[in-house]
Amino acid sequence: MYIYLDFDDTLIASRIFYNEYYRPLLVARGSTEREIEKSYTFFTNGVTRSGGELFTPRRQMEILGWRESVKEESLGEIENLLREKRGFIFPEVVAVLTELKQRGAYLILLTFGHPEFQKQKLIASGMGHFFDEVIITNENKANLLRAAAAEIKEPIFFVDDRRQYMSELQNDDDIATVHMNRPEIGAECPDKKCGATYEIENLHELLAFIH
C-alpha cells in the first residue's frame, strides 16, 4: 500500500507557524501589514495562485527590502524556532507514522514548495526517516498522482488539506483521496463536502481504513 502524505497543515501546523510566529516577526522588524500582504502576491501556492515564485522567508525579506544583517538575524531566529518547536508537528503524527510503517505501508511525502525551505522544515521536524520517498514539487500534485497510479499496482491513498485536489481527483478510481480537515487551524470544509473519498480531522483517523 502506497500512502502519499502532504506536509504543511497535514503533518505540521504551518498555518500556526506563519500566523503566530513568522508574521509577527516580520511586523516586529518594521514591515507593515500592507507591505507583508503585498509581498505574498509574488509567490505561488500551486492551487489558487498558480503564477509567481516559490516561497522562502529569505525571498520575502528581500522583496520587503530588508538589510542583509536584519535578514540573517531573522533567518537564524526562524531556524531556532523550527528546531525548538520540532517543526510544529501535530501531536498525533509521529505515533501514526510509526504505526503505518509497522503495518507495512510505503510512505511518500508529497509537498509543494521551494526545496530549500521544505527541507529545512522537514529536518527540523525530525520525521524524515519515516518516508520511503520525499517529493518536493512545484507541479500540480494531481498530475503526479495520476502518473504514479498508472505504474503502481497497489492501493494508493493521498492525504492533503487542499480541497481543490479532492475535487480534481474525485473521478480517479485508482486513488483514494483523504481530506485533512483539522478544526484547530480552521477547517476548509466544515460541511465535509469536498469530494474526497474520506474526511478526517487528524491523522489518527486515517488508521481506521488503512489495513
Side-chain angles (χ1 to χ4, degrees):
M1 157 194 348
Y2 286 70
I3 304 176
Y4 288 79
L5 292 155
D6 172 49
F7 193 35
D8 295 293
D9 291 324
T10 295
L11 304 183
I12 65 170
S14 295
R15 205 171 307 180
I16 292 173
F17 164 72
Y18 286 113
N19 292 339
E20 298 184 12
Y21 296 90
Y22 178 68
R23 196 174 184 116
L25 182 149
L26 298 182
V27 173
R29 291 290 189 272
S31 294
T32 67
E33 290 287 353
R34 183 176 180 180
E35 289 171 335
I36 295 167
E37 201 59 40
K38 184 178 179 181
S39 70
Y40 277 117
T41 64
F42 286 81
F43 301 106
T44 176
N45 64 10
V47 181
T48 59
R49 193 170 61 248
S50 57
E53 303 177 41
L54 295 171
F55 174 86
T56 68
R58 178 181 293 277
R59 181 60 182 134
Q60 186 172 29
M61 293 170 191
E62 290 172 354
I63 292 169
L64 290 168
W66 287 15
R67 297 192 312 274
E68 189 65 27
S69 59
V70 178
K71 281 188 295 185
E72 291 303 324
E73 181 182 349
S74 300
L75 291 169
E77 285 188 35
I78 291 169
E79 174 67 19
N80 291 336
L81 177 63
L82 288 172
R83 291 186 180 277
E84 177 187 338
K85 299 289 186 180
R86 287 290 308 279
F88 290 83
I89 307 170
F90 285 110
E92 82 285 0
V93 166
V94 170
V96 175
L97 294 180
T98 301
E99 175 66 21
L100 290 171
K101 293 304 295 181
Q102 290 173 350
R103 295 186 187 189
Y106 190 90
L107 300 183
I108 303 167
L109 184 68
L110 177 56
T111 178
F112 180 93
H114 195 290
E116 174 188 318
F117 191 42
Q118 296 305 95
K119 288 177 183 177
Q120 180 186 17
K121 290 185 290 184
L122 180 58
I123 291 169
S125 74
M127 291 192 293
H129 65 283
F130 285 112
F131 300 102
D132 298 283
E133 294 182 46
V134 174
I135 302 172
I136 302 173
T137 185
N138 62 356
E139 300 178 27
N140 187 309
K141 291 182 184 179
N143 295 336
L144 293 175
L145 287 161
R146 290 190 183 105
E151 297 182 5
I152 296 172
K153 304 305 179 184
E154 294 186 40
I156 291 179
F157 290 83
F158 170 50
V159 186
D160 202 289
D161 69 304
R162 298 279 186 160
R163 62 184 176 185
Q164 290 88 346
Y165 290 134
M166 305 299 118
S167 299
E168 193 170 346
L169 291 166
Q170 63 182 331
N171 295 321
D172 289 78
D173 296 335
D174 295 331
I175 303 169
T177 53
V178 184
H179 182 235
M180 178 62 77
N181 210 29
R182 288 187 181 274
E184 65 264 49
I185 59 171
E188 271 201 324
C189 294
D191 58 0
K192 298 189 176 182
K193 294 179 180 178
C194 288
T197 311
Y198 304 99
E199 291 277 352
I200 59 176
E201 294 187 351
N202 58 71
L203 201 64
H204 190 268
E205 294 179 2
L206 181 66
L207 297 175
F209 45 85
I210 298 291
H211 304 291

